[in-house]
Amino acid sequence: EEPAAVAATPGLEVRLSRARAGVGDRVEVEAWLPGASGRRWIEARPSRPGVRIVGPDRALVEGSEKARFVFTCDVAGRGGVVVVARE
């Protein structure tokens, strides 16, 4: 198993369902902006080749509502996602 990693927009809180995962394991990601108001998109992108987002890769959220994503790695090595918030 390799460490799961995430990079995020400043101010964006992110939680992974597991700290380590093997090839083909799914990792769930929750992302939110504490204290935010208004609507915005939160998007997840693979951090490197071989990482794949399973299902939707963006969510329209209201305020500090949480967005949820799932990713997996098709090859060995540290893998993760980059999560960004957009107005």
Side-chain angles (χ1 to χ4, degrees), residues 35-56:
S37 61
R39 292 176 125 187
R40 63 187 33 85
W41 288 98
I42 297 180
E43 302 174 358
R45 299 185 202 132
S47 63
R48 66 169 175 85
V51 175
R52 196 167 37 87
I53 306 296
V54 179

Side-chain angles (χ1 to χ4, degrees), residues 64-79:
S64 57
E65 178 182 8
K66 292 180 180 178
R68 290 175 176 81
F69 308 102
V70 177
F71 73 93
T72 189
C73 293
D74 296 327
V75 295
R78 186 174 183 154

Side-chain angles (χ1 to χ4, degrees), residues 1-82:
E1 290 190 342
E2 296 286 336
V6 66
T9 298
L12 192 65
E13 296 286 332
V14 178
R15 181 179 13 214
L16 298 175
S17 62
R18 57 197 304 172
R20 300 181 75 77
V23 173
D25 289 345
R26 290 182 177 205
V27 178
E28 296 177 24
V29 180
E30 285 185 328
W32 67 99
L33 281 162
S37 61
R39 292 176 125 187
R40 63 187 33 85
W41 288 98
I42 297 180
E43 302 174 358
R45 299 185 202 132
S47 63
R48 66 169 175 85
V51 175
R52 196 167 37 87
I53 306 296
V54 179
D57 62 357
R58 66 183 187 152
L60 183 60
V61 298
E62 181 74 36
S64 57
E65 178 182 8
K66 292 180 180 178
R68 290 175 176 81
F69 308 102
V70 177
F71 73 93
T72 189
C73 293
D74 296 327
V75 295
R78 186 174 183 154
V81 292
V82 176

